[in-house]
Amino acid sequence: MNNQQPVVVGGRYELGELLGRGGMAEVRKGTDTRLGRVVAVKRLRTDLASDATFQARFRREAQSAASLNHPAIVAVYDTGEEPAADGSGISQPYIVMEFVAGRTLRDILREGRKILPERALEITSGVLSALDYSHRAGIIHRDIKPGNVMLTPSGDVKVMDFGIARAISDASSTMTQTAAVVGTAQYLSPEQARGETVDSRSDVYSAGCLLYELLTGRPPFVGDSPVAVAYQHVREPAVPPSDHDTSLPPEVDAIVLKALAKRLEDRYQSAAAMRSDIERYLGGRPVQAPIPPPVAAAPPVTAATSVVAPVAAYEEEEPRSRTGLIIALGLLLIVLIAGAAYLLPNLFEKAPEQVPTPNVINKTEKQARQLIGDAGLAVGSIDRENSEDVPAGRVVRQDPNPDDYVDPDTRVDLVISLGKPQVEVPFLIGQDKDAAKQTLEAAGFDVKLKQVESDEDKNTVISTDPSQGQTVAAGTTIIVSFSDGPEKVPNVVGLQQAEAETAIRNAGFVPRVFTTDDTTEPAGTVIDQSPAKGETLSEGSTVTLQVSSFVEPSAPTSPTDTPTTDPSETPIIPPPPG
């Protein structure tokens, strides 16, 4: 029985099964024990991690990659360093990423499966959308290849390994200085192969190589060694994809060859420009890339001069001798044509009269079936996919296209919208409200901020609705509740008791009243409070108020005078009558 404890990095990420191993790192499935979610943890090889310069640059690039928040980019949740398990004491950097259930384009191409040109262009458009976002954020991928692009079960594109390739390129800029470039030589831009400084247009070139392989099943350049392949990237022009698949139209050749231009000035100047050209083609509009001229066969000069001259001379010598023969042959040809025009319609059945395909785009599935049946056609396969523009349950695409003329009973394939793609609400609790709003808007959500009573620091996110980690449709309105900050005790000294108690309750505290007559303030007046004004308390804390109960005493009353008889007084005797 194996009692070995699972490996944990960062104090919270428990490592599980191995998902993949490359020339510079290994990726394992992991569990975030704190949040209870599945993640992917990539750890750099110990020999690369031992380079202090590489470590510093990798750390900066990993932090930059973590700032990227785009539906087509594998999200980076966390980065850090752990002592290597081999006991060397080297700090081994790791990156914690979004776990994506799906397969890489490399796996799909190795199966030899045919990818339709339209689907190849759609996939590349998704990659270019991610690159455009990263370029605007100042991040160059530098390692676009089938192994770094995943397709989810719903068909969404996910680009991986942002920042890592740049860190390696910074540490070792030329192909001969690092083995990490050897594995991806088939997708190097000419300037990368020469060891020159690269910019976002190098990613455009690599995206062109990716599109080339999706269209043809092989990269634009192959060779016996990485050096031979790199030489072709620098010197040899790419063969148009239509040389390998003649069904590809000239417009697709034009897009690919412009992306693979050797000179930076001749290439698409941004990922957005290349994506726009792809969307123009998919929308049936002219592309901006120059259409390559068709290759014409060389005229047989020698044969023409050796044959034409004798014939011309022969006709000049005997023009009349062949006139009868020509007339006879002409009459015979007319008779044959007339006979064919009469007999052929009776020998073969007439081809069925074709009918136009109805336009069922944006119709419900029920409406589409009705229209297709009314046109004398049949419903073919029905696929479903997410759509930013078409509501759920309505037709996104159809094949054949609207108004195409087809035979009766032709099957019309439909793609039905599943609605907007589902996006996970980011984890934002504890962040500043403005930063949370910016993160949500970058992920395609609408945001409504709501201030609530809380003792957390002011403007700190308390909760989100829908909750963080929940999967919702892109464009959903997220209500972000943030703290109004801890409350300060108001100054209520001098106020009447009722007025003071109201002020204390409005601030989120509980008043407690004591009375005293040891004062000369009028009864009912607050003469003291604890805590004092301006102090910060948790919501619901008690504030003690001392209220005067003094009653001013009444003025003393004077005693009422009453007549008395003083025995010492001499009585007044009235005089006798006289």
Side-chain angles (χ1 to χ4, degrees):
M1 182 173 179
N2 186 4
N3 294 324
Q4 184 178 0
Q5 294 295 322
V7 178
V8 177
V9 298
R12 61 187 287 189
Y13 304 109
E14 184 178 297
L15 302 186
E17 63 183 282
L18 181 68
L19 298 177
R21 181 182 286 113
M24 62 183 179
E26 70 170 19
V27 182
R28 289 186 176 272
K29 189 175 181 179
T31 301
D32 185 344
T33 57
R34 186 175 301 172
L35 299 178
R37 66 177 172 185
V38 179
V39 296
V41 181
K42 171 169 282 190
R43 295 191 298 175
L44 269 294
R45 279 188 353 216
T46 308
D47 57 337
L48 291 178
S50 62
D51 186 335
T53 301
F54 174 78
Q55 269 199 345
R57 290 176 179 172
F58 173 77
R59 189 181 304 115
R60 289 197 300 269
E61 291 301 329
Q63 291 169 350
S64 298
S67 68
L68 298 176
N69 193 329
H70 189 273
I73 297 176
V74 174
V76 174
Y77 297 141
D78 194 9
T79 63
E81 297 176 0
E82 284 280 319
D86 58 6
S88 61
I90 296 172
S91 293
Q92 188 175 17
Y94 66 85
I95 294 181
V96 181
M97 305 177 295
E98 169 190 7
F99 174 74
V100 179
R103 295 193 302 161
T104 65
L105 291 181
R106 178 181 58 190
D107 296 333
I108 295 172
L109 288 168
R110 282 178 176 175
E111 292 176 356
R113 293 173 55 185
K114 171 68 175 177
I115 300 177
L116 294 176
E118 289 76 12
R119 182 57 180 149
L121 290 165
E122 289 171 356
I123 292 172
T124 307
S125 178
V127 173
L128 291 168
S129 174
L131 290 176
D132 176 48
Y133 178 84
S134 71
H135 292 167
R136 286 188 280 110
I139 304 295
I140 304 171
H141 193 290
R142 304 188 186 215
D143 197 20
I144 290 295
K145 58 183 180 180
N148 280 341
V149 180
M150 292 192 73
L151 286 185
T152 67
S154 61
D156 294 329
V157 172
K158 289 282 188 178
V159 180
M160 303 184 294
D161 285 355
F162 271 88
I164 297 177
R166 179 173 183 174
I168 292 179
S169 180
D170 286 346
S172 306
S173 61
T174 67
M175 183 175 170
T176 56
Q177 289 174 315
T178 172
V181 181
V182 172
T184 57
Q186 291 172 327
Y187 312 96
L188 286 176
S189 66
E191 54 272 20
Q192 275 181 290
R194 289 192 296 262
E196 299 173 354
T197 302
V198 301
D199 60 20
S200 60
R201 291 171 292 184
S202 292
D203 281 348
V204 170
Y205 185 94
S206 299
C209 294
L210 175 70
L211 176 56
Y212 194 106
E213 187 165 358
L214 293 176
L215 291 168
T216 66
R218 50 160 288 166
F221 301 110
V222 294
D224 296 333
S225 67
V227 175
V229 174
Y231 176 84
Q232 293 177 72
H233 279 295
V234 174
R235 297 292 182 187
E236 300 294 334
V239 175
S242 59
D243 282 16
H244 302 289
D245 185 349
T246 55
S247 66
L248 295 175
E251 290 81 3
V252 173
D253 281 347
I255 293 172
V256 173
L257 294 181
K258 183 174 178 66
L260 296 180
K262 305 298 182 189
R263 297 175 67 248
L264 286 168
E265 297 79 8
D266 298 334
R267 212 174 292 166
Y268 287 107
Q269 295 302 294
S270 67
M274 182 177 176
R275 183 170 184 259
S276 295
D277 232 8
I278 289 176
E279 295 300 328
R280 286 190 192 93
Y281 172 77
L282 293 175
R285 292 172 290 157
V287 299
Q288 292 186 344
I291 305 297
V295 179
V301 178
T302 304
T305 55
S306 63
V307 174
V308 172
V311 170
Y314 182 80
E315 288 179 350
E316 289 175 1
E317 292 173 2
E318 297 181 335
R320 299 179 184 272
S321 61
R322 303 181 62 186
T323 302
L325 178 60
I326 293 173
I327 292 173
L329 290 175
L331 291 173
L332 178 60
L333 181 60
I334 292 171
V335 172
L336 291 175
I337 292 174
Y342 176 77
L343 293 174
L344 287 179
N346 298 322
L347 292 175
F348 301 99
E349 294 183 1
K350 291 183 178 180
E353 185 175 348
Q354 292 191 321
V355 296
T357 306
N359 184 358
V360 297
I361 303 297
N362 272 318
K363 304 292 185 184
T364 64
E365 183 177 343
K366 182 178 180 180
Q367 292 171 334
R369 288 181 178 275
Q370 182 68 40
L371 290 171
I372 291 170
D374 291 345
L377 306 176
V379 177
S381 64
I382 294 182
D383 295 324
R384 301 181 188 275
E385 67 178 34
N386 294 111
S387 173
E388 291 282 356
D389 306 314
V390 180
R394 295 185 176 268
V395 177
V396 179
R397 293 191 305 277
Q398 65 179 84
D399 184 26
N401 293 320
D403 300 326
D404 282 357
Y405 277 80
V406 295
D407 293 335
D409 297 323
T410 296
R411 305 180 78 83
V412 181
D413 297 332
L414 303 176
V415 177
I416 307 294
S417 172
L418 293 171
K420 291 186 177 181
Q422 297 292 300
V423 185
E424 181 180 337
V425 178
F427 286 76
L428 303 170
I429 292 177
Q431 296 188 19
D432 179 79
K433 68 177 179 65
D434 293 327
K437 181 175 185 289
Q438 185 177 3
T439 299
L440 288 169
E441 289 177 341
F445 295 109
D446 292 332
V447 182
K448 180 179 179 181
L449 298 177
K450 178 182 177 183
Q451 189 179 63
V452 297
E453 293 283 345
S454 172
D455 294 329
E456 298 293 333
D457 292 339
K458 187 174 182 180
N459 295 332
T460 299
V461 176
I462 304 301
S463 65
T464 62
D465 183 21
S467 303
Q468 58 184 13
Q470 185 175 341
T471 301
V472 297
T476 298
T477 298
I478 307 297
I479 299 175
V480 178
S481 299
F482 64 93
S483 171
D484 63 349
E487 297 291 344
K488 292 184 178 180
V489 177
N491 182 15
V492 296
V493 173
L495 300 181
Q496 289 298 303
Q497 178 180 342
E499 187 180 0
E501 288 187 27
T502 299
I504 294 297
R505 290 191 180 95
N506 288 343
F509 307 123
V510 177
R512 184 180 180 187
V513 178
F514 290 95
T515 60
T516 178
D517 59 1
D518 187 17
T519 179
T520 60
E521 294 294 327
T525 303
V526 177
I527 61 174
D528 195 9
Q529 67 180 74
S530 178
K533 67 176 181 179
E535 290 194 28
T536 300
L537 291 181
S538 299
E539 186 176 359
S541 297
T542 299
V543 176
T544 302
L545 306 179
Q546 195 167 20
V547 179
S548 171
S549 62
F550 170 76
V551 178
E552 187 175 354
S554 303
T557 304
S558 300
T560 304
D561 291 336
T562 56
T564 59
T565 301
D566 187 349
S568 64
E569 287 184 354
T570 303
I572 298 175
I573 303 173

